[in-house]
Amino acid sequence: MGFLGNILGKGNKGEGEAAEEVAAPQGKYDEQCSLCSKGGTDKKWAGKYFHVKCLRKAKKVAKGMF
């Protein structure tokens, strides 16, 4: 799925998620990142959860849209 699909929360649910749920997340939230689909997110922005690194990327892209 592309970048917008990840931001909107549309992603493929596969077998790889089972292994991610076993590992303890290191972030503040136990939600999946809307950009990279990995667990252990740190920030919430625009109703979605992001890692700090992914949030910087998403804000730069969103800034260009307006």
Side-chain angles (χ1 to χ4, degrees):
M1 188 74 25
F3 177 75
L4 290 176
N6 287 336
I7 286 183
L8 297 175
K10 297 176 184 174
N12 296 350
K13 304 270 180 179
E15 298 173 10
E17 288 183 328
E20 291 177 9
E21 293 177 358
V22 174
Q26 297 295 322
K28 186 176 176 182
Y29 302 104
D30 289 336
E31 301 290 328
Q32 284 188 341
C33 179
S34 296
L35 188 62
C36 67
S37 300
K38 295 182 182 176
T41 53
D42 301 313
K43 298 282 184 174
K44 185 175 181 184
W45 179 65
K48 302 291 180 184
Y49 295 93
F50 294 93
H51 297 111
V52 175
K53 183 178 177 182
C54 296
L55 180 64
R56 282 187 230 126
K57 291 178 186 178
K59 281 189 175 183
K60 285 181 183 179
V61 170
K63 188 185 226 182
M65 290 182 181
F66 291 108

Short mmCIF file of all heavy atoms in Angstrom, two decimals:
data_model
loop_
_atom_site.label_atom_id
_atom_site.label_comp_id
_atom_site.label_asym_id
_atom_site.label_seq_id
_atom_site.Cartn_x
_atom_site.Cartn_y
_atom_site.Cartn_z
N MET A 1 0.85 -1.16 0.00
CA MET A 1 0.00 0.00 0.00
C MET A 1 0.90 1.23 0.00
O MET A 1 2.00 1.20 0.50
CB MET A 1 -0.87 -0.06 1.25
CG MET A 1 -1.96 0.93 1.37
SD MET A 1 -3.51 0.94 0.48
CE MET A 1 -3.99 -0.58 -0.05
N GLY A 2 0.43 2.31 -0.50
CA GLY A 2 1.22 3.53 -0.61
C GLY A 2 1.20 4.36 0.66
O GLY A 2 0.66 3.97 1.69
N PHE A 3 1.78 5.52 0.56
CA PHE A 3 1.90 6.41 1.71
C PHE A 3 0.54 6.83 2.24
O PHE A 3 0.29 6.78 3.43
CB PHE A 3 2.73 7.64 1.30
CG PHE A 3 2.84 8.66 2.39
CD1 PHE A 3 3.68 8.43 3.45
CD2 PHE A 3 2.10 9.81 2.36
CE1 PHE A 3 3.79 9.34 4.46
CE2 PHE A 3 2.20 10.73 3.36
CZ PHE A 3 3.06 10.51 4.42
N LEU A 4 -0.37 7.24 1.37
CA LEU A 4 -1.70 7.67 1.82
C LEU A 4 -2.49 6.53 2.43
O LEU A 4 -3.24 6.73 3.37
CB LEU A 4 -2.47 8.29 0.66
CG LEU A 4 -1.95 9.64 0.17
CD1 LEU A 4 -2.75 10.11 -1.04
CD2 LEU A 4 -2.00 10.67 1.27
N GLY A 5 -2.31 5.34 1.93
CA GLY A 5 -2.99 4.18 2.51
C GLY A 5 -2.53 3.93 3.93
O GLY A 5 -3.32 3.57 4.79
N ASN A 6 -1.25 4.13 4.19
CA ASN A 6 -0.73 3.97 5.55
C ASN A 6 -1.25 5.05 6.48
O ASN A 6 -1.56 4.78 7.64
CB ASN A 6 0.80 3.97 5.55
CG ASN A 6 1.37 2.71 4.97
OD1 ASN A 6 0.73 1.68 4.98
ND2 ASN A 6 2.58 2.79 4.47
N ILE A 7 -1.35 6.27 6.01
CA ILE A 7 -1.84 7.36 6.86
C ILE A 7 -3.32 7.16 7.17
O ILE A 7 -3.77 7.40 8.29
CB ILE A 7 -1.60 8.72 6.19
CG1 ILE A 7 -0.12 9.07 6.27
CG2 ILE A 7 -2.42 9.82 6.86
CD1 ILE A 7 0.24 10.40 5.71
N LEU A 8 -4.08 6.72 6.20
CA LEU A 8 -5.51 6.53 6.41
C LEU A 8 -5.82 5.25 7.19
O LEU A 8 -6.96 5.01 7.55
CB LEU A 8 -6.24 6.50 5.06
CG LEU A 8 -6.17 7.80 4.25
CD1 LEU A 8 -6.81 7.60 2.89
CD2 LEU A 8 -6.82 8.93 5.00
N GLY A 9 -4.82 4.45 7.45
CA GLY A 9 -5.02 3.26 8.25
C GLY A 9 -5.41 2.03 7.46
O GLY A 9 -5.79 1.02 8.04
N LYS A 10 -5.35 2.11 6.16
CA LYS A 10 -5.67 0.95 5.33
C LYS A 10 -4.38 0.20 5.08
O LYS A 10 -3.49 0.69 4.42
CB LYS A 10 -6.28 1.39 4.01
CG LYS A 10 -7.58 2.13 4.15
CD LYS A 10 -8.05 2.60 2.82
CE LYS A 10 -9.31 3.44 2.97
NZ LYS A 10 -9.71 4.04 1.71
N GLY A 11 -4.29 -0.99 5.62
CA GLY A 11 -3.07 -1.76 5.41
C GLY A 11 -3.37 -3.23 5.27
O GLY A 11 -4.49 -3.69 5.52
N ASN A 12 -2.40 -3.97 4.89
CA ASN A 12 -2.56 -5.42 4.76
C ASN A 12 -2.36 -6.07 6.11
O ASN A 12 -1.37 -5.83 6.78
CB ASN A 12 -1.54 -5.98 3.76
CG ASN A 12 -1.77 -5.43 2.37
OD1 ASN A 12 -2.76 -4.80 2.10
ND2 ASN A 12 -0.83 -5.69 1.48
N LYS A 13 -3.26 -6.90 6.48
CA LYS A 13 -3.14 -7.66 7.72
C LYS A 13 -2.53 -9.01 7.36
O LYS A 13 -3.17 -9.84 6.73
CB LYS A 13 -4.51 -7.87 8.37
CG LYS A 13 -5.26 -6.58 8.63
CD LYS A 13 -4.93 -6.06 9.98
CE LYS A 13 -5.72 -4.78 10.21
NZ LYS A 13 -5.52 -4.18 11.43
N GLY A 14 -1.30 -9.22 7.75
CA GLY A 14 -0.61 -10.44 7.36
C GLY A 14 -0.12 -11.23 8.55
O GLY A 14 -0.44 -10.96 9.70
N GLU A 15 0.68 -12.23 8.27
CA GLU A 15 1.21 -13.09 9.30
C GLU A 15 2.32 -12.41 10.09
O GLU A 15 2.63 -12.82 11.19
CB GLU A 15 1.76 -14.37 8.66
CG GLU A 15 0.70 -15.18 7.95
CD GLU A 15 1.30 -16.34 7.19
OE1 GLU A 15 2.49 -16.61 7.37
OE2 GLU A 15 0.57 -16.97 6.43
N GLY A 16 2.93 -11.37 9.56
CA GLY A 16 4.02 -10.68 10.22
C GLY A 16 3.59 -9.96 11.49
O GLY A 16 4.39 -9.69 12.37
N GLU A 17 2.31 -9.67 11.63
CA GLU A 17 1.83 -8.96 12.81
C GLU A 17 1.88 -9.82 14.06
O GLU A 17 2.07 -9.31 15.15
CB GLU A 17 0.40 -8.49 12.59
CG GLU A 17 0.31 -7.33 11.62
CD GLU A 17 -1.11 -6.85 11.49
OE1 GLU A 17 -2.03 -7.68 11.60
OE2 GLU A 17 -1.28 -5.66 11.28
N ALA A 18 1.73 -11.11 13.92
CA ALA A 18 1.74 -11.99 15.08
C ALA A 18 3.10 -11.93 15.79
O ALA A 18 3.17 -11.92 17.01
CB ALA A 18 1.42 -13.42 14.67
N ALA A 19 4.17 -11.84 15.04
CA ALA A 19 5.50 -11.76 15.63
C ALA A 19 5.72 -10.40 16.30
O ALA A 19 6.39 -10.31 17.32
CB ALA A 19 6.56 -11.98 14.57
N GLU A 20 5.14 -9.34 15.75
CA GLU A 20 5.29 -8.02 16.34
C GLU A 20 4.54 -7.91 17.66
O GLU A 20 4.97 -7.20 18.55
CB GLU A 20 4.79 -6.95 15.37
CG GLU A 20 5.68 -6.79 14.15
CD GLU A 20 5.13 -5.77 13.18
OE1 GLU A 20 4.16 -5.08 13.54
OE2 GLU A 20 5.66 -5.68 12.08
N GLU A 21 3.41 -8.57 17.79
CA GLU A 21 2.63 -8.49 19.02
C GLU A 21 3.32 -9.20 20.17
O GLU A 21 3.14 -8.83 21.32
CB GLU A 21 1.25 -9.08 18.79
CG GLU A 21 0.41 -8.25 17.83
CD GLU A 21 -0.93 -8.89 17.56
OE1 GLU A 21 -1.20 -9.98 18.07
OE2 GLU A 21 -1.70 -8.28 16.82
N VAL A 22 4.15 -10.17 19.88
CA VAL A 22 4.85 -10.90 20.92
C VAL A 22 5.93 -10.02 21.55
O VAL A 22 6.13 -10.04 22.76
CB VAL A 22 5.47 -12.20 20.34
CG1 VAL A 22 6.32 -12.90 21.38
CG2 VAL A 22 4.37 -13.11 19.83
N ALA A 23 6.63 -9.22 20.74
CA ALA A 23 7.67 -8.35 21.25
C ALA A 23 7.05 -7.19 22.03
O ALA A 23 6.02 -6.66 21.66
CB ALA A 23 8.49 -7.80 20.09
N ALA A 24 7.69 -6.82 23.15
CA ALA A 24 7.19 -5.73 23.97
C ALA A 24 7.45 -4.39 23.28
O ALA A 24 8.58 -4.10 22.90
CB ALA A 24 7.88 -5.76 25.33
N PRO A 25 6.41 -3.58 23.08
CA PRO A 25 6.62 -2.29 22.43
C PRO A 25 7.40 -1.33 23.33
O PRO A 25 7.24 -1.35 24.55
CB PRO A 25 5.20 -1.79 22.18
CG PRO A 25 4.33 -2.53 23.11
CD PRO A 25 5.01 -3.84 23.38
N GLN A 26 8.24 -0.49 22.72
CA GLN A 26 9.08 0.42 23.48
C GLN A 26 8.45 1.81 23.59
O GLN A 26 8.98 2.65 24.29
CB GLN A 26 10.44 0.53 22.80
CG GLN A 26 11.20 -0.78 22.75
CD GLN A 26 11.56 -1.29 24.14
OE1 GLN A 26 11.91 -0.50 25.00
NE2 GLN A 26 11.45 -2.58 24.34
N GLY A 27 7.37 2.08 22.90
CA GLY A 27 6.78 3.41 22.87
C GLY A 27 5.76 3.63 23.98
O GLY A 27 5.51 2.79 24.83
N LYS A 28 5.17 4.80 23.93
CA LYS A 28 4.18 5.22 24.92
C LYS A 28 2.83 4.51 24.71
O LYS A 28 2.15 4.20 25.67
CB LYS A 28 4.01 6.74 24.80
CG LYS A 28 3.13 7.38 25.81
CD LYS A 28 3.15 8.89 25.62
CE LYS A 28 2.21 9.57 26.56
NZ LYS A 28 2.19 11.02 26.35
N TYR A 29 2.49 4.27 23.44
CA TYR A 29 1.21 3.64 23.10
C TYR A 29 1.44 2.24 22.55
O TYR A 29 2.47 1.94 21.98
CB TYR A 29 0.48 4.47 22.03
CG TYR A 29 0.19 5.89 22.45
CD1 TYR A 29 0.95 6.95 21.96
CD2 TYR A 29 -0.83 6.18 23.34
CE1 TYR A 29 0.69 8.26 22.33
CE2 TYR A 29 -1.09 7.48 23.72
CZ TYR A 29 -0.33 8.52 23.22
OH TYR A 29 -0.59 9.80 23.60
N ASP A 30 0.43 1.40 22.70
CA ASP A 30 0.49 0.03 22.15
C ASP A 30 -0.21 -0.05 20.80
O ASP A 30 -0.74 -1.09 20.44
CB ASP A 30 -0.16 -0.96 23.13
CG ASP A 30 0.67 -1.16 24.37
OD1 ASP A 30 1.89 -0.94 24.31
OD2 ASP A 30 0.09 -1.53 25.40
N GLU A 31 -0.22 1.03 20.06
CA GLU A 31 -0.86 1.09 18.75
C GLU A 31 0.18 0.94 17.65
O GLU A 31 1.36 1.16 17.86
CB GLU A 31 -1.58 2.44 18.58
CG GLU A 31 -2.65 2.71 19.61
CD GLU A 31 -3.85 1.83 19.45
OE1 GLU A 31 -4.18 1.46 18.31
OE2 GLU A 31 -4.48 1.52 20.48
N GLN A 32 -0.29 0.60 16.46
CA GLN A 32 0.60 0.50 15.29
C GLN A 32 0.80 1.89 14.70
O GLN A 32 -0.11 2.72 14.68
CB GLN A 32 0.00 -0.40 14.23
CG GLN A 32 0.09 -1.85 14.55
CD GLN A 32 -0.35 -2.68 13.37
OE1 GLN A 32 -1.03 -2.19 12.48
NE2 GLN A 32 0.01 -3.94 13.38
N CYS A 33 1.99 2.12 14.18
CA CYS A 33 2.31 3.37 13.50
C CYS A 33 1.52 3.42 12.18
O CYS A 33 1.47 2.44 11.45
CB CYS A 33 3.81 3.46 13.24
SG CYS A 33 4.31 4.95 12.37
N SER A 34 0.93 4.57 11.89
CA SER A 34 0.15 4.71 10.67
C SER A 34 1.02 4.79 9.43
O SER A 34 0.54 4.58 8.32
CB SER A 34 -0.71 5.97 10.74
OG SER A 34 -1.65 5.84 11.77
N LEU A 35 2.30 5.07 9.59
CA LEU A 35 3.18 5.20 8.44
C LEU A 35 3.93 3.90 8.15
O LEU A 35 3.93 3.42 7.02
CB LEU A 35 4.17 6.33 8.68
CG LEU A 35 5.05 6.73 7.51
CD1 LEU A 35 4.18 7.24 6.36
CD2 LEU A 35 6.01 7.82 7.93
N CYS A 36 4.53 3.30 9.16
CA CYS A 36 5.36 2.11 8.92
C CYS A 36 4.72 0.81 9.41
O CYS A 36 5.27 -0.25 9.21
CB CYS A 36 6.74 2.30 9.56
SG CYS A 36 6.72 2.34 11.36
N SER A 37 3.59 0.89 10.09
CA SER A 37 2.83 -0.27 10.57
C SER A 37 3.58 -1.12 11.60
O SER A 37 3.35 -2.32 11.69
CB SER A 37 2.38 -1.15 9.41
OG SER A 37 1.57 -0.42 8.53
N LYS A 38 4.48 -0.52 12.36
CA LYS A 38 5.15 -1.21 13.45
C LYS A 38 4.58 -0.73 14.77
O LYS A 38 4.02 0.36 14.87
CB LYS A 38 6.66 -0.94 13.40
CG LYS A 38 7.32 -1.53 12.17
CD LYS A 38 8.80 -1.29 12.19
CE LYS A 38 9.45 -1.84 10.93
NZ LYS A 38 10.87 -1.53 10.87
N GLY A 39 4.70 -1.53 15.81
CA GLY A 39 4.14 -1.20 17.11
C GLY A 39 5.02 -0.28 17.92
O GLY A 39 6.11 0.08 17.55
N GLY A 40 4.51 0.10 19.10
CA GLY A 40 5.26 0.91 20.04
C GLY A 40 5.38 2.36 19.62
O GLY A 40 6.47 2.91 19.53
N THR A 41 4.26 3.03 19.38
CA THR A 41 4.29 4.41 18.91
C THR A 41 4.48 5.38 20.07
O THR A 41 4.21 5.06 21.23
CB THR A 41 2.99 4.75 18.16
OG1 THR A 41 1.88 4.42 18.98
CG2 THR A 41 2.90 3.96 16.88
N ASP A 42 4.94 6.59 19.74
CA ASP A 42 5.25 7.60 20.75
C ASP A 42 4.33 8.80 20.73
O ASP A 42 4.14 9.44 21.77
CB ASP A 42 6.69 8.10 20.55
CG ASP A 42 7.70 6.98 20.64
OD1 ASP A 42 7.61 6.19 21.58
OD2 ASP A 42 8.55 6.89 19.74
N LYS A 43 3.79 9.17 19.58
CA LYS A 43 3.01 10.39 19.44
C LYS A 43 1.68 10.12 18.75
O LYS A 43 1.54 9.19 17.99
CB LYS A 43 3.77 11.42 18.59
CG LYS A 43 5.08 11.86 19.15
CD LYS A 43 4.89 12.86 20.24
CE LYS A 43 6.23 13.36 20.74
NZ LYS A 43 6.07 14.43 21.69
N LYS A 44 0.70 10.99 19.04
CA LYS A 44 -0.59 10.95 18.37
C LYS A 44 -0.78 12.29 17.66
O LYS A 44 -0.62 13.35 18.27
CB LYS A 44 -1.71 10.73 19.38
CG LYS A 44 -3.07 10.56 18.74
CD LYS A 44 -4.13 10.23 19.76
CE LYS A 44 -5.46 10.05 19.08
NZ LYS A 44 -6.52 9.81 20.05
N TRP A 45 -1.07 12.24 16.35
CA TRP A 45 -1.26 13.45 15.55
C TRP A 45 -2.34 13.17 14.53
O TRP A 45 -2.32 12.14 13.87
CB TRP A 45 0.05 13.83 14.87
CG TRP A 45 -0.02 15.03 14.00
CD1 TRP A 45 -0.28 16.31 14.38
CD2 TRP A 45 0.17 15.08 12.58
NE1 TRP A 45 -0.25 17.14 13.31
CE2 TRP A 45 0.03 16.41 12.19
CE3 TRP A 45 0.46 14.12 11.63
CZ2 TRP A 45 0.16 16.82 10.87
CZ3 TRP A 45 0.59 14.51 10.31
CH2 TRP A 45 0.44 15.84 9.96
N ALA A 46 -3.30 14.07 14.43
CA ALA A 46 -4.40 13.97 13.47
C ALA A 46 -5.19 12.66 13.66
O ALA A 46 -5.65 12.06 12.70
CB ALA A 46 -3.89 14.09 12.04
N GLY A 47 -5.33 12.21 14.89
CA GLY A 47 -6.10 11.01 15.18
C GLY A 47 -5.39 9.71 14.89
O GLY A 47 -5.98 8.64 14.99
N LYS A 48 -4.12 9.77 14.50
CA LYS A 48 -3.33 8.58 14.19
C LYS A 48 -2.11 8.53 15.10
O LYS A 48 -1.68 9.53 15.65
CB LYS A 48 -2.87 8.61 12.73
CG LYS A 48 -3.98 8.69 11.72
CD LYS A 48 -4.75 7.41 11.70
CE LYS A 48 -5.88 7.49 10.68
NZ LYS A 48 -6.70 6.31 10.69
N TYR A 49 -1.55 7.35 15.24
CA TYR A 49 -0.37 7.14 16.09
C TYR A 49 0.87 7.00 15.22
O TYR A 49 0.83 6.35 14.18
CB TYR A 49 -0.56 5.88 16.94
CG TYR A 49 -1.70 6.02 17.92
CD1 TYR A 49 -2.98 5.58 17.59
CD2 TYR A 49 -1.50 6.58 19.16
CE1 TYR A 49 -4.03 5.72 18.48
CE2 TYR A 49 -2.54 6.71 20.07
CZ TYR A 49 -3.80 6.28 19.72
OH TYR A 49 -4.82 6.41 20.61
N PHE A 50 1.99 7.62 15.66
CA PHE A 50 3.22 7.62 14.89
C PHE A 50 4.42 7.45 15.82
O PHE A 50 4.37 7.80 16.99
CB PHE A 50 3.41 8.97 14.17
CG PHE A 50 2.40 9.26 13.11
CD1 PHE A 50 1.25 9.98 13.40
CD2 PHE A 50 2.59 8.83 11.82
CE1 PHE A 50 0.32 10.26 12.42
CE2 PHE A 50 1.66 9.11 10.83
CZ PHE A 50 0.53 9.82 11.14
N HIS A 51 5.52 6.95 15.25
CA HIS A 51 6.82 7.05 15.90
C HIS A 51 7.29 8.49 15.70
O HIS A 51 6.81 9.17 14.80
CB HIS A 51 7.84 6.10 15.26
CG HIS A 51 7.47 4.66 15.40
ND1 HIS A 51 7.08 3.89 14.34
CD2 HIS A 51 7.44 3.86 16.50
CE1 HIS A 51 6.82 2.67 14.76
NE2 HIS A 51 7.01 2.63 16.06
N VAL A 52 8.22 8.96 16.49
CA VAL A 52 8.71 10.32 16.35
C VAL A 52 9.32 10.54 14.97
O VAL A 52 9.07 11.55 14.31
CB VAL A 52 9.73 10.66 17.46
CG1 VAL A 52 10.32 12.03 17.26
CG2 VAL A 52 9.09 10.55 18.82
N LYS A 53 10.11 9.58 14.49
CA LYS A 53 10.75 9.67 13.18
C LYS A 53 9.70 9.70 12.06
O LYS A 53 9.79 10.50 11.13
CB LYS A 53 11.69 8.49 13.00
CG LYS A 53 12.47 8.50 11.73
CD LYS A 53 13.41 7.31 11.68
CE LYS A 53 14.16 7.25 10.37
NZ LYS A 53 15.04 6.08 10.31
N CYS A 54 8.70 8.85 12.16
CA CYS A 54 7.65 8.80 11.14
C CYS A 54 6.78 10.05 11.17
O CYS A 54 6.31 10.51 10.13
CB CYS A 54 6.78 7.56 11.35
SG CYS A 54 7.67 6.01 11.15
N LEU A 55 6.58 10.63 12.35
CA LEU A 55 5.78 11.84 12.48
C LEU A 55 6.44 13.00 11.75
O LEU A 55 5.77 13.79 11.10
CB LEU A 55 5.57 12.18 13.95
CG LEU A 55 4.76 13.43 14.23
CD1 LEU A 55 3.33 13.25 13.73
CD2 LEU A 55 4.75 13.74 15.72
N ARG A 56 7.76 13.10 11.85
CA ARG A 56 8.48 14.16 11.15
C ARG A 56 8.27 14.04 9.65
O ARG A 56 8.02 15.04 8.96
CB ARG A 56 9.98 14.09 11.46
CG ARG A 56 10.32 14.66 12.79
CD ARG A 56 11.83 14.73 12.96
NE ARG A 56 12.13 14.12 14.25
CZ ARG A 56 12.99 13.13 14.46
NH1 ARG A 56 13.66 12.62 13.46
NH2 ARG A 56 13.18 12.65 15.65
N LYS A 57 8.34 12.83 9.13
CA LYS A 57 8.12 12.60 7.69
C LYS A 57 6.69 12.97 7.29
O LYS A 57 6.46 13.62 6.28
CB LYS A 57 8.39 11.16 7.33
CG LYS A 57 9.85 10.77 7.40
CD LYS A 57 10.01 9.29 7.06
CE LYS A 57 11.42 8.83 7.27
NZ LYS A 57 11.57 7.40 6.99
N ALA A 58 5.72 12.55 8.09
CA ALA A 58 4.31 12.80 7.77
C ALA A 58 3.99 14.29 7.81
O ALA A 58 3.24 14.79 6.96
CB ALA A 58 3.41 12.03 8.74
N LYS A 59 4.54 15.02 8.77
CA LYS A 59 4.29 16.47 8.86
C LYS A 59 4.89 17.21 7.67
O LYS A 59 4.30 18.16 7.17
CB LYS A 59 4.84 17.03 10.16
CG LYS A 59 3.95 16.75 11.34
CD LYS A 59 4.42 17.50 12.57
CE LYS A 59 3.46 17.31 13.71
NZ LYS A 59 3.86 18.09 14.89
N LYS A 60 6.06 16.77 7.21
CA LYS A 60 6.68 17.41 6.03
C LYS A 60 5.81 17.20 4.80
O LYS A 60 5.62 18.12 4.00
CB LYS A 60 8.07 16.87 5.80
CG LYS A 60 9.09 17.39 6.77
CD LYS A 60 10.46 16.84 6.48
CE LYS A 60 11.46 17.31 7.51
NZ LYS A 60 12.81 16.76 7.27
N VAL A 61 5.26 16.01 4.64
CA VAL A 61 4.40 15.72 3.49
C VAL A 61 3.09 16.50 3.60
O VAL A 61 2.63 17.10 2.63
CB VAL A 61 4.14 14.20 3.38
CG1 VAL A 61 3.07 13.93 2.35
CG2 VAL A 61 5.42 13.49 3.01
N ALA A 62 2.53 16.57 4.78
CA ALA A 62 1.26 17.28 4.98
C ALA A 62 1.45 18.79 4.80
O ALA A 62 0.55 19.47 4.30
CB ALA A 62 0.73 16.99 6.38
N LYS A 63 2.60 19.29 5.18
CA LYS A 63 2.89 20.72 5.00
C LYS A 63 2.87 21.09 3.53
O LYS A 63 2.41 22.15 3.15
CB LYS A 63 4.25 21.03 5.60
CG LYS A 63 4.60 22.48 5.67
CD LYS A 63 6.03 22.63 6.18
CE LYS A 63 6.14 23.67 7.23
NZ LYS A 63 7.52 23.85 7.69
N GLY A 64 3.37 20.21 2.69
CA GLY A 64 3.40 20.45 1.25
C GLY A 64 2.01 20.37 0.60
O GLY A 64 1.81 20.88 -0.50
N MET A 65 1.06 19.74 1.26
CA MET A 65 -0.28 19.59 0.70
C MET A 65 -1.12 20.87 0.86
O MET A 65 -2.06 21.07 0.13
CB MET A 65 -1.01 18.43 1.35
CG MET A 65 -0.47 17.09 0.99
SD MET A 65 -1.44 15.81 1.78
CE MET A 65 -0.59 14.37 1.25
N PHE A 66 -0.77 21.69 1.84
CA PHE A 66 -1.58 22.88 2.12
C PHE A 66 -0.98 24.13 1.53
O PHE A 66 0.08 24.39 1.35
CB PHE A 66 -1.76 23.09 3.62
CG PHE A 66 -2.63 22.03 4.22
CD1 PHE A 66 -2.10 21.05 5.03
CD2 PHE A 66 -3.99 22.00 3.97
CE1 PHE A 66 -2.89 20.08 5.59
CE2 PHE A 66 -4.78 21.02 4.53
CZ PHE A 66 -4.24 20.06 5.34
#
